[in-house]
Amino acid sequence: MQQPILSWPEAGAQPRSTVVPLVPYRPLEMTAELPGRTMDALDRSRFTAGGKWADVLTTLPEDENQPVSRGLRVQTRAGEVRISASEQVLLTERRPAGTKNYRVIATPKGVSVLRDGKVVADRQGLLPPQVAMLETAAENLPEANGLSAKLNTDARFQSSPATLKWVLLALYALCLLGCLWLCVSRYRYSERARREPDEPRFKLGLVDIAVPAILVLWAVIGPFNDDDGWYLRHALNLPNAGYVGNYYHSFNAPEAPFMFSQYLLGAWGLISKSTLWMRMFPTVIGIAVWFVLRRYLHATLGGRRAARGPYRMLPYLLALAFLVWWMPFELTLRPEPVVCLGVAVNLALSEYARRREWPGLYAVVVAIASLTTLTTATGIVAWGPLLLHAPYLVRYTRSWVGKERLAYLGMLLVSGTAAFPAIFWDMTLSDLVETTRIHSWYWFVTPWYQEIERYNALLHPGTLGNWAKRGAVLLTVVALVFVVIRLATRRDRNGPLDRLVVGSAAMSGIGLAALAISPTKWVHHFGGMAVPAILLLALTAFASPIPARVRRTAPGLLAGGVAAFATVVIFSGTNSWHAFSDWGQPFGDHTAMVDPAAVAKDPNALSGKQILEGQIPHIGPLKFSNMVLWLAVIGLCWWLARRAMGGGGRRWSALGTARLFTVVQTSLVVLMLTVFVIAPFNQSPQWSPAKGNLKSITGGSCGLADDLLVPLDKLTPVLRGPDRPAVRGNSGEIRLRELLRDQPTFVDWPIGLAYPCVPVLPVKDGMTTPAEYRLVASDQLGGTRTVTLNERVGGTQAFISRVATIERVPVRVVPTTTPRAPWGHLERVVYRHPPGRYTVSRTERVEWGLVSWPRLAQFDYVGARDGWLNE
């Protein structure tokens, strides 16, 4: 365990008031030395004139809403001393003659006050006081010598394995790898496994060039996700803290157990932090997922079947379905792309094990599933392939003796523990327990039976419910309904195509169930079930969604009507995207940001409603959400299908509905590409995400900071290094990128991806780094400050509201010829006292994994009830 120790004042210096930005807000231990001569000097000074109390030492400013501070406050007045801590008055007395000093000692067991070494007050169980500053009225008094404080900051999660744990981890890894090797090599049918099936090899086609090319293009022009900056700062702070913490809230407690994808993202960011490079992380994953799915379909259908007849169209339908899901959901730094990779690999590996009759490979499937589960709650979908292949495992092991079955089962169970070293290599069991409590106490935790909230958000206008996200989800739900009907009416379900349909539908159901148990109800989580949904959409467009026994006109019309209604709902979504990605978008006004929730609550908000309605995709007066339009499209699909069948085939109605699925998916993909090609041209010559990404290819891009100018006359009193080249020769303004180059700057999470060259403000050693400047999102985005500046969610910038004032700095956007939505604000932080007037040293100690410190998840810590945020 690394233990930072903050000593105040600095060695050899007089006590001077300073800001101390603790995160978490209370130290693990604290000792304050309070000399009696300092109190006497204050009593004689002007501070106590008129009978007022003088502050010998205080760690939090006064709060009119709290009669007694949560911090430590030591006061003196005419020979009296009053000491309070953590909302309790510990001591009020007249100082006995000859008193040399008082000492306050706060430990996990409680807080006590000593007078000349004798305990005069003791409160067992009282938490150490909150600390946001160390302030004294005795500053500049010669008698302040000896006034001091020492804090063991709360860096409980900042640890690394001791020698014994490294040895155990290494032994465990060797045993796990040995178990996997033994299972894979022993449990195989060698003759059948070595014999290659009589089928053509998998060959790449035009579609295998087109899909990766579109993904790379999409990385350049595609939308930002509102959580990109959130997860980016989580990962980039990893080298500072040594673990993946909640950089913006929950006291920077670990993201445990869902940290696996963020470790990967942090490693990716070691190469470059440019926006385009970071977006290539999900893009590379997407390309890998595409090829795994292509190979999976080829193997499942059998090479000869997949290479001839109508099956040759399946790769193109797979490409459509893949883009329908990947483009709106998976170009993100969130964990869902990593989930998709784990699910796709497990699907392919499970199918390979089944076809080659190689049950030992399922141990690898279990290991991958356990690691994928560590990404996010929807990682549970990675277990789907194993569940689907359970009947094959039963068949494989039917002839085995009980001892052999037990050994095989044991190896599968051991393989599932691959998640344990990934979780515990840099944290303890008590850490995991405490961080779970913190997330439950201070953050959103929504029960499974309120899953409808996710769908409410999807169907509301705005960035979470735009037409592209609706399209992927609603088409999948409709396809799932059709498959359920198909299964209920069809007898023969043993063919490879039916096995694919059943498997993808079952795994989609598992994905929906995993979403329900997720503690938060964000629309983003739908991306975790993308892989089975992609397969389901492709197969529904390829094979008839209408049951084989009811392929007649009436059921076809009914099915077509359901599909058409879903399409209308899809295109009733607005063409609105997160923040900068919305700039320059066609369809309606995108220069004014509208809060859909506020519009829904206020029936008189006509202007907001008009803006949202104007953002529905349309051509002239014809909206894409017009029911007549899609009934005409489905009629055309049926007419073309009937004509292709010679006019009298019984399958024409079914094929017409399948073709509607293809038309809708094609429309979604084409429209997404179109609006994001148009947007940067509409925004030109001003900055846009696409322009910034293209500029980063040649190097030197700092995102939006390249296009923001700050007046020098607003910065002259505080600008450091005024003769540096960035300022010389500038006609009264400085580019934001140059201003922030050497300044510690806090970047808000909704806009984090737009400022790639602004270094992450470290949160480590139980403290955050005081920011000189803050880049915050526009007021219309909302909710931002309630996270970072709110003590009751453990905001890592919450100390600022106590010890600083924030001044908004005027910024000019260049060029100014094009109207644009609000980009945000630049703020300068003016502290009550200069930060950094202390010394930080570090010690190390070895602790067992069950040793725990006082809970952060309790009401007394910041006065927040369990689950208050849900209320």
Side-chain angles (χ1 to χ4, degrees):
M1 307 293 295
Q2 298 178 11
Q3 179 56 68
I5 300 174
L6 186 150
S7 301
W8 175 82
E10 299 170 277
Q14 284 283 99
R16 295 182 298 171
S17 299
T18 186
V19 166
V20 183
L22 293 195
V23 177
Y25 314 137
R26 301 177 188 265
L28 294 176
E29 297 179 348
M30 178 179 181
T31 301
E33 300 289 348
L34 310 161
R37 61 195 181 98
T38 304
M39 299 182 185
D40 293 336
L42 285 173
D43 286 346
R44 295 191 300 268
S45 72
R46 57 184 175 84
F47 295 108
T48 56
K52 294 182 179 180
W53 290 96
D55 286 329
V56 183
L57 179 64
T58 182
T59 64
L60 277 183
E62 292 185 43
D63 187 344
E64 59 183 15
N65 297 320
Q66 291 178 269
V68 183
S69 172
R70 290 196 186 103
L72 171 67
R73 194 168 195 187
V74 181
Q75 298 174 293
T76 182
R77 181 184 64 181
E80 290 182 278
V81 61
R82 183 169 65 188
I83 301 175
S84 62
S86 299
E87 299 182 290
Q88 288 194 25
V89 177
L90 304 178
L91 177 69
T92 301
E93 68 173 15
R94 177 164 293 281
R95 297 196 306 276
T99 299
K100 295 182 179 180
N101 76 304
Y102 287 84
R103 175 183 293 173
V104 177
I105 300 176
T107 70
K109 296 180 180 179
V111 183
S112 56
V113 179
L114 288 75
R115 184 199 324 121
D116 291 337
K118 181 180 179 182
V119 176
V120 291
D122 186 31
R123 293 291 190 279
Q124 292 295 311
L126 188 64
L127 291 173
Q130 286 191 24
V131 178
M133 66 179 187
L134 293 170
E135 182 182 76
T136 178
E139 186 172 338
N140 299 322
L141 293 179
E143 294 85 355
N145 257 343
L147 177 64
S148 65
K150 181 172 289 187
L151 290 75
N152 288 7
T153 63
D154 193 344
R156 68 179 73 186
F157 304 116
Q158 195 167 304
S159 63
S160 58
T163 303
L164 175 59
K165 188 167 184 177
W166 276 124
V167 171
L168 292 174
L169 285 168
L171 289 175
Y172 186 87
L174 289 174
C175 291
L176 179 61
L177 292 175
C179 179
L180 289 172
W181 175 83
L182 182 62
C183 192
V184 170
S185 61
R186 177 179 178 87
Y187 296 104
R188 60 185 294 177
Y189 290 85
S190 57
E191 293 303 321
R192 296 180 181 179
R194 291 173 184 172
R195 187 169 63 240
E196 290 290 335
D198 182 20
E199 62 181 31
R201 292 186 177 181
F202 173 69
K203 295 181 180 180
L204 299 180
L206 181 62
V207 70
D208 299 302
I209 300 174
V211 170
I214 291 175
L215 292 185
V216 173
L217 172 65
W218 196 241
V220 177
I221 67 174
F224 285 1
N225 186 293
D226 55 344
D227 277 347
D228 283 346
W230 183 279
Y231 281 90
L232 178 64
R233 288 303 191 276
H234 282 31
L236 295 185
N237 194 52
L238 172 60
N240 299 318
Y243 66 94
V244 175
N246 288 274
Y247 181 80
Y248 290 99
H249 71 102
S250 295
F251 312 104
N252 196 39
E255 281 274 65
F258 303 123
M259 301 186 295
F260 184 65
S261 66
Q262 295 177 64
Y263 278 115
L264 298 178
L265 182 62
W268 186 269
L270 294 177
I271 299 175
S272 172
K273 296 175 178 60
S274 73
T275 302
L276 183 59
W277 174 254
M278 298 308 298
R279 283 157 69 88
M280 288 305 296
F281 177 72
T283 300
V284 170
I285 292 176
I287 294 172
V289 171
W290 163 253
F291 283 110
V292 171
L293 290 182
R294 279 279 284 121
R295 187 66 181 87
Y296 168 70
L297 275 184
H298 180 86
T300 305
L301 292 175
R304 291 193 181 279
R305 182 184 295 106
R308 67 175 186 264
Y311 286 92
R312 287 180 296 180
M313 291 301 299
L314 191 52
Y316 297 94
L317 298 176
L318 178 68
L320 271 180
F322 181 85
L323 295 175
V324 163
W325 266 98
W326 201 270
M327 291 171 70
F329 279 110
E330 308 298 347
L331 183 60
T332 176
L333 303 184
R334 287 181 52 86
E336 283 77 19
V338 178
V339 173
C340 291
L341 182 60
V343 175
V345 170
N346 268 3
L347 270 174
L349 195 58
S350 297
E351 177 61 20
Y352 186 83
R354 184 195 66 81
R355 293 178 61 246
R356 299 299 180 88
E357 297 186 348
W358 195 343
L361 286 177
Y362 287 107
V364 182
V365 173
V366 171
I368 294 174
S370 67
L371 290 174
T372 306
T373 306
L374 297 183
T375 55
T376 184
T378 48
I380 295 174
V381 180
W383 295 94
L386 190 70
L387 295 177
L388 295 177
H389 285 75
Y392 300 108
L393 282 176
V394 173
R395 188 188 69 189
Y396 290 150
T397 60
R398 186 174 298 165
S399 61
W400 295 358
V401 297
K403 182 178 180 180
E404 199 71 12
R405 289 181 185 174
L406 185 60
Y408 178 68
L409 178 61
M411 290 183 182
L412 291 183
L413 293 174
V414 169
S415 301
T417 65
F420 292 171
I423 296 175
F424 293 113
W425 77 271
D426 70 339
M427 68 184 308
T428 67
L429 181 60
S430 62
D431 290 342
L432 179 62
V433 172
E434 179 63 13
T435 194
T436 302
R437 290 196 191 108
I438 290 171
H439 295 155
S440 174
W441 193 284
Y442 294 103
W443 201 235
F444 295 100
V445 178
T446 309
W448 64 269
Y449 51 83
Q450 294 182 8
E451 176 64 10
I452 191 65
E453 292 184 8
R454 194 188 315 275
Y455 296 89
N456 286 337
L458 182 70
L459 297 177
H460 267 74
T463 59
L464 296 180
N466 62 38
W467 53 268
K469 292 178 180 178
R470 289 187 185 187
V473 176
L474 295 184
L475 285 180
T476 302
V477 171
V478 172
L480 191 59
V481 172
F482 286 157
V483 170
V484 171
I485 298 174
R486 179 188 180 98
L487 294 177
T489 58
R490 185 163 179 166
R491 296 176 181 175
D492 181 17
R493 297 191 294 268
N494 295 322
L497 183 60
D498 289 293
R499 190 167 63 247
L500 273 172
V501 172
V502 172
S504 58
M507 287 188 60
S508 298
I510 293 173
L512 293 175
L515 288 172
I517 65 174
S518 173
T520 51
K521 305 303 178 185
W522 313 129
V523 170
H524 307 309
H525 294 161
F526 280 116
M529 57 171 289
V531 166
I534 289 167
L535 293 171
L536 183 62
L537 278 185
L539 294 169
T540 302
F542 173 75
S544 167
I546 310 301
R549 296 171 58 194
V550 291
R551 286 175 179 162
R552 288 180 172 82
T553 303
L557 289 174
L558 178 61
V562 172
F565 177 75
T567 306
V568 169
V569 176
I570 289 169
F571 285 103
S572 295
T574 55
N575 184 47
S576 50
W577 304 85
H578 173 64
F580 311 120
S581 300
D582 203 51
W583 293 355
Q585 286 285 338
F587 309 126
D589 180 14
H590 292 268
T591 61
M593 302 180 69
V594 180
D595 182 5
V599 173
K601 292 178 181 178
D602 183 6
N604 298 318
L606 296 179
S607 60
K609 288 183 179 179
Q610 291 173 351
I611 291 175
L612 291 176
E613 290 178 359
Q615 292 178 358
I616 295 175
H618 60 274
I619 299 177
L622 179 62
K623 291 187 176 181
F624 290 5
S625 58
N626 191 311
M627 186 70 171
V628 176
L629 170 65
W630 292 105
L631 289 177
V633 170
I634 197 171
L636 178 62
C637 291
W638 282 336
W639 179 78
L640 292 174
R642 183 164 187 171
R643 186 174 181 180
M645 295 292 296
R650 294 179 60 190
R651 296 187 60 194
W652 68 269
S653 60
L655 287 175
T657 309
R659 289 192 180 192
L660 176 65
F661 264 60
T662 305
V663 170
V664 175
Q665 292 180 66
T666 304
S667 301
L668 289 169
V669 172
V670 171
L671 186 58
M672 275 188 280
L673 289 172
T674 300
V675 297
F676 278 96
V677 168
I678 292 174
F681 285 101
N682 285 347
Q683 193 62 25
S684 180
Q686 289 185 342
W687 182 86
S688 64
K691 178 182 176 181
N693 287 329
L694 289 172
K695 189 176 178 180
S696 68
I697 296 176
T698 59
S701 172
C702 192
L704 183 55
D706 290 336
D707 284 21
L708 300 177
L709 295 179
V710 184
L712 284 174
D713 60 344
K714 301 295 183 180
L715 302 172
T716 303
V718 295
L719 187 64
R720 297 177 181 177
D723 59 342
R724 61 187 183 187
V727 178
R728 281 203 311 266
N730 195 303
S731 58
E733 292 179 317
I734 182 174
R735 287 196 180 272
L736 186 62
R737 66 175 297 173
E738 301 296 339
L739 172 65
L740 302 182
R741 177 181 295 174
D742 303 320
Q743 307 284 353
T745 304
F746 172 82
V747 181
D748 216 347
W749 56 270
I751 58 175
L753 206 58
Y755 300 94
C757 69
V758 179
V760 63
L761 196 70
V763 178
K764 63 176 183 177
D765 294 338
M767 296 180 284
T768 188
T769 304
E772 293 286 340
Y773 292 94
R774 290 168 44 87
L775 282 167
V776 298
S778 63
D779 298 334
Q780 288 89 337
L781 286 177
T784 303
R785 298 168 190 272
T786 61
V787 175
T788 58
L789 294 181
N790 195 328
E791 289 188 6
R792 299 211 296 168
V793 297
T796 55
Q797 292 284 307
F799 77 98
I800 285 182
S801 59
R802 294 293 194 105
V803 297
T805 58
I806 296 177
E807 299 178 351
R808 187 163 293 181
V809 179
V811 174
R812 185 169 70 89
V813 183
V814 291
T816 57
T817 56
T818 306
R820 75 187 317 163
W823 65 271
H825 308 291
L826 174 65
E827 298 175 340
R828 184 170 61 209
V829 184
V830 182
Y831 292 99
R832 179 172 177 145
H833 304 292
R837 291 175 167 177
Y838 48 78
T839 302
V840 178
S841 59
R842 295 171 182 82
T843 62
E844 290 186 353
R845 65 183 186 277
V846 177
E847 288 187 353
W848 294 102
L850 297 178
V851 173
S852 60
W853 291 91
R855 291 186 180 183
L856 298 174
Q858 56 172 302
F859 175 80
D860 290 339
Y861 200 85
V862 293
R865 300 185 304 276
D866 184 10
W868 76 274
L869 197 57
N870 290 335
E871 300 173 11

